[in-house]
C-alpha cells in the first residue's frame, strides 16, 4: 500500500491524522450504527494495530488511536473487511451525517440516513470538511446542540421539515422530498459562497447576510429541543458513557458481546441496542450525576505532543467542583480538539500556564491568564469568578 496520506484536520480512515501518540484513524459508522461484529472487530484492530484506546467523538464517530505507519495498511484492510470503508477519502469526508440514536424500526430515521448517505456518495458538492447533516426526526430534537449545517426534523404535528442551521424555521417536506431538499440546500450553500465564509458553516453564512432562496425557505417550526440526554435506560436500549469519551479496547469488546448493535451519539456515549439494564464495567459512566460527565478534556500530555499540560489529570481533579448543570473544557493547547463549541468554563494550556475563558470557546476572549493547575485545584472558585 502507498505511503499514508497524513492531513491536518478532520481525519478519516482513509485520511488519518498524525497526533502525539501516532496516527488517529476515524471511523464513521453508517447510519450511526455498528453491528456487534463490526464493534468487536474495531476493538480487535485497536488492540492489534493501535495503542488500544478508542475515542468517541462529538460527531458520533470512533477513533482508533496510536496507530503506527507500519500497522496502518493492515488496519485499513481490517476495516474494509468489516464493511467500514468508503470508496475514497473524498466520499468519506462528505459523509458527515449525525443520526438520532432513539429511532425505532417503525420510523423513517434509518431509511433517511441511508438515502442521504447514498446521495452524498454520488453528489459532487465539495463541501467543507466540517459541514454536516443531522437526522433528528424524533418527537423531540435531541441533536439541536450538536454540530450540523442542515437538519431534517419534525414540526409539532409530526411532519418532516428541512432546516438550515441558524434559521429558526424550516421548509416543510414530504418523506420523498426530504433528502433532495437537503442536498439542494447544500448546493445552494456552495453556490452562494458559503465555503468562502471564514467559518465555512451554514449558521455563519446566514448570519453574514446570505438569504435562502424561496424554494428552500419555509415557515415550519421544529419541535422543542430537549436537553442533552444522559446515561440511562431508553426504549431503544441502554446508553452509557466513558470518561473523556475514550475507552480501552476491552470495553468496546465487552459492549459488543452484550448486544446486536451499538448506536453512536454525539454526547460521547453509546446506546447499547436492545439492552434493558445498565451494563457494568469499571470504565463505564452509567449515572447521570457522575462528575466525569461535567468535564471535557482532549488527550493532553503525555498522549499528545502539542499539549502543554496533562488535561485529564486536571479535569479529573476539578470535576467534583463543577456544578451538575455546567461544563468545564480543559484543552492542552489552543486547537481545542475535544470540543469546538462553548463551555461554561474553558481552560487552555499555554507555555505560560492556563488561560481561562467563561461561556465561550478556546477561540474567545480570555478573562484570566497564567493560572497554574495546582493553583486552580487549591482554589477552584476561580473557575466561576470567586476568589
Ligand atoms: S487540543 Fe489537545 S489533543 Fe488537540 S492538539 Fe492540542 S493538546 Fe493535542
Amino acid at each position: 500500500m502507498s505511503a499514508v496520506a497524513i492531513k491536518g484536520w478532520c481525519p478519516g480512515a482513509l485520511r488519518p491524522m498524525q497526533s502525539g501518540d501516532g496516527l488517529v484513524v476515524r471511523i464513521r459508522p453508517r447510519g450511526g450504527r455498528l453491528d456487534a461484529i463490526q464493534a468487536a472487530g474495531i476493538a480487535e484492530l485497536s488492540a492489534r494495530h493501535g495503542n488500544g484506546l478508542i475515542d468517541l467523538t462529538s460527531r458520533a464517530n470512533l477513533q482508533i488511536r496510536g496507530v503506527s505507519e507500519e500497522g496502518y495498511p493492515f488496519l485499513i484492510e481490517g476495516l474494509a473487511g468489516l464493511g467500514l470503508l468508503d470508496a475514497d477519502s473524498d466520499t468519506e469526508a462528505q459523509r458527515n451525517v449525525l443520526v438520532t440514536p432513539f429511532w425505532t424500526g417503525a420510523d423513517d430515521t434509518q431509511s433517511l440516513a441511508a438515502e442521504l448517505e447514498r446521495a452524498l456518495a454520488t453528489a459532487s458538492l465539495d463541501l467543507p470538511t466540517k459541514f454536516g447533516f443531522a437526522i433528528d426526526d424524533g418527537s423531540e430534537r435531541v441533536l439541536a446542540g450538536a454540530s450540523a449545517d442542515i437538519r431534517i426534523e419534525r414540526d409539532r404535528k409530526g411532519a418532516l421539515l428541512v432546516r438550515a442551521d441558524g434559521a429558526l424555521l424550516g421548509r416543510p417536506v414530504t418523506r420523498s422530498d426530504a433528502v433532495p431538499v437537503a442536498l439542494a440546500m447544500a448546493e445552494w450553500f456552495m453556490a452562494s459562497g458559503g465555503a468562502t465564509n471564514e467559518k465555512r458553516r451554514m449558521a455563519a453564512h446566514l448570519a453574514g447576510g446570505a438569504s435562502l432562496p424561496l424554494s428552500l425557505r419555509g415557515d415550519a417550526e421544529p419541535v422543542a429541543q430537549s436537553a442533552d440526554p444522559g446515561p440511562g435506560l431508553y426504549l431503544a436500549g441502554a446508553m452509557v458513557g466513558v470518561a473523556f469519551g475514550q475507552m480501552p479496547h476491552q470495553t468496546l469488546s465487552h459492549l459488543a458481546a452484550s448486544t446486536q448493535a451499538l448506536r453512536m451519539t454525539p454526547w460521547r456515549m453509546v446506546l447499547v441496542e436492545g439492552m434493558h439494564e445498565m451494563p457494568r464495567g469499571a470504565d463505564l459512566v452509567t449515572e447521570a450525576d457522575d462528575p466525569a460527565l461535567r468535564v471535557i478534556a482532549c488527550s493532553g500530555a503525555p498522549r499528545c505532543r502539542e499539549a502543554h499540560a496533562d488535561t485529564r489529570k486536571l479535569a479529573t481533579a476539578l470535576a467534583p467542583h463543577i456544578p451538575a448543570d455546567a461544563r468545564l473544557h480543559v484543552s492542552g493547547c489552543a486547537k481545542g480538539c475535544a470540543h469546538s463549541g462553548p463551555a461554561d468554563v474553558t481552560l487552555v494550556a499555554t507555555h505560560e500556564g492556563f488561560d481561562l475563558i467563561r461561556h465561550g470557546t478556546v477561540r474567545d476572549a480570555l478573562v484570566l491568564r497564567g493560572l497554574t493547575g495546582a493553583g486552580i485545584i487549591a482554589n477552584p472558585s476561580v473557575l466561576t469568578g470567586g476568589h
Side-chain angles (χ1 to χ4, degrees):
M1 185 169 291
S2 59
V4 176
I6 299 167
K7 295 282 168 71
W9 295 108
C10 279
L14 297 168
R15 193 179 284 167
M17 181 179 74
Q18 187 75 59
S19 181
D21 57 358
L23 294 173
V24 177
V25 175
R26 183 174 294 177
I27 301 157
R28 302 173 188 222
R30 287 193 174 79
R33 184 174 189 257
L34 290 173
D35 66 33
I37 292 171
Q38 290 173 322
I42 290 170
E44 196 190 326
L45 290 169
S46 158
R48 192 172 295 174
H49 304 299
N51 62 7
L53 295 174
I54 299 158
D55 295 328
L56 303 178
T57 79
S58 59
R59 295 288 188 111
N61 297 316
L62 293 99
Q63 292 181 162
I64 296 179
R65 300 198 69 92
V67 178
S68 64
E69 301 224 1
E70 303 73 54
Y72 175 73
F74 298 103
L75 174 59
I76 286 298
E77 207 175 292
L79 292 176
L82 293 169
L84 289 167
L85 288 189
D86 290 275
D88 54 62
S89 59
D90 288 342
T91 309
E92 178 184 34
Q94 199 154 270
R95 190 169 56 78
N96 239 333
V97 182
L98 271 182
V99 180
T100 169
F102 300 121
W103 53 270
T104 71
D107 63 31
D108 292 321
T109 310
Q110 281 293 293
S111 72
L112 280 167
E115 185 184 334
L116 179 57
E117 290 178 352
R118 278 195 304 273
L120 285 169
T122 53
S124 305
L125 293 166
D126 203 18
L127 294 165
T129 52
K130 289 190 189 299
F131 194 96
F133 299 77
I135 300 188
D136 193 10
D137 62 330
S139 57
E140 276 190 320
R141 286 183 302 141
V142 295
L143 300 177
S147 176
D149 297 85
I150 295 175
R151 298 171 184 276
I152 299 179
E153 300 170 333
R154 290 191 187 274
D155 68 14
R156 277 186 205 146
K157 291 186 180 148
L160 286 168
L161 61 97
V162 177
R163 186 171 65 85
D165 192 50
L168 288 177
L169 304 174
R171 182 194 188 281
V173 288
T174 62
R175 166 65 189 80
S176 57
D177 281 346
V179 168
V181 168
L183 278 209
M185 210 173 259
E187 277 166 17
W188 168 81
F189 174 83
M190 295 304 291
S192 60
T196 59
N197 180 295
E198 193 193 343
K199 291 198 171 151
R200 312 184 84 205
R201 302 301 302 268
M202 181 67 87
H205 190 40
L206 296 184
S211 180
L212 283 161
L214 276 178
S215 60
L216 297 174
R217 254 189 261 165
D219 56 3
E221 187 179 350
V223 286
Q225 170 179 354
S226 79
D228 282 356
L233 294 176
Y234 296 85
L235 271 180
M239 193 150 72
V240 288
V242 283
F244 306 119
Q246 191 174 75
M247 60 173 125
H249 66 93
Q250 296 93 336
T251 301
L252 184 57
S253 294
H254 168 64
L255 292 176
S258 56
T259 184
Q260 291 195 329
L262 297 175
R263 300 184 188 180
M264 311 309 298
T265 81
W267 312 298
R268 296 194 166 94
M269 293 188 276
V270 292
L271 189 142
V272 188
E273 201 175 287
M275 191 170 227
H276 299 301
E277 58 185 56
M278 292 303 284
R280 298 288 156 204
D283 303 302
L284 297 177
V285 177
T286 56
E287 306 287 341
D289 60 356
D290 191 320
L293 292 172
R294 301 172 204 163
V295 291
I296 303 162
C298 69
S299 302
R303 294 161 289 271
C304 174
R305 64 167 71 124
E306 308 283 330
H308 298 293
D310 185 340
T311 49
R312 293 185 177 178
K313 195 167 156 202
L314 180 60
T316 302
L318 294 176
H321 301 287
I322 307 300
D325 58 349
R327 292 291 172 275
L328 166 70
H329 174 198
V330 184
S331 186
C333 79
K335 286 183 183 160
C337 297
H339 185 59
S340 58
D344 299 272
V345 182
T346 301
L347 291 169
V348 182
T350 73
H351 285 298
E352 286 99 34
F354 287 92
D355 291 347
L356 187 149
I357 297 132
R358 292 205 182 97
H359 307 294
T361 73
V362 291
R363 294 171 298 284
D364 288 323
L366 53 99
V367 291
L368 290 169
R369 74 165 71 226
L371 301 170
T372 64
I376 303 168
I377 292 168
N379 179 22
S381 61
V382 72
L383 297 172
T384 48
H387 298 288

